[in-house]
């Protein structure tokens, strides 16, 4: 399917060590590197970096 090829589902895991994850889609053509976003971790109750896991 073409939909899964260009914009795959990626999981973002917290760098705070809590195991919290976010699920999102990313465009492989525009961002071929691993995705890093600053998101809210409800366990730590603050914003931390979430990195793409493979």
């Amino acid at each position: 399917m073409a939909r899964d090829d260009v914009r795959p589902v990626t999981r973002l895991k917290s760098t705070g060590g809590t195991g919290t994850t976010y699920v999102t889609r990313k465009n492989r053509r525009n961002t071929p590197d691993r995705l890093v976003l600053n998101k809210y971790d409800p366990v730590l109750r603050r914003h931390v970096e979430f990195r793409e896991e493979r």
Side-chain angles (χ1 to χ4, degrees), residues 24-41:
T24 186
R25 291 184 176 272
K26 80 166 193 175
N27 191 328
R28 279 192 188 158
R29 292 180 189 156
N30 295 340
T31 55
D33 301 330
R34 288 194 182 183
L35 195 60
V36 178
L37 296 175
N38 202 23
K39 306 275 290 174
Y40 182 75
D41 191 337

Side-chain angles (χ1 to χ4, degrees), residues 2-53:
R3 176 180 174 175
D4 294 331
D5 187 37
V6 177
R7 295 190 69 89
V9 174
T10 60
R11 293 181 57 156
L12 303 174
K13 188 172 183 181
S14 173
T15 58
T18 59
T20 305
T21 59
Y22 279 94
V23 178
T24 186
R25 291 184 176 272
K26 80 166 193 175
N27 191 328
R28 279 192 188 158
R29 292 180 189 156
N30 295 340
T31 55
D33 301 330
R34 288 194 182 183
L35 195 60
V36 178
L37 296 175
N38 202 23
K39 306 275 290 174
Y40 182 75
D41 191 337
V43 178
L44 295 176
R45 298 192 332 209
R46 64 186 177 102
H47 284 81
V48 295
E49 277 190 349
F50 279 74
R51 295 184 180 270
E52 177 183 347
E53 62 179 17

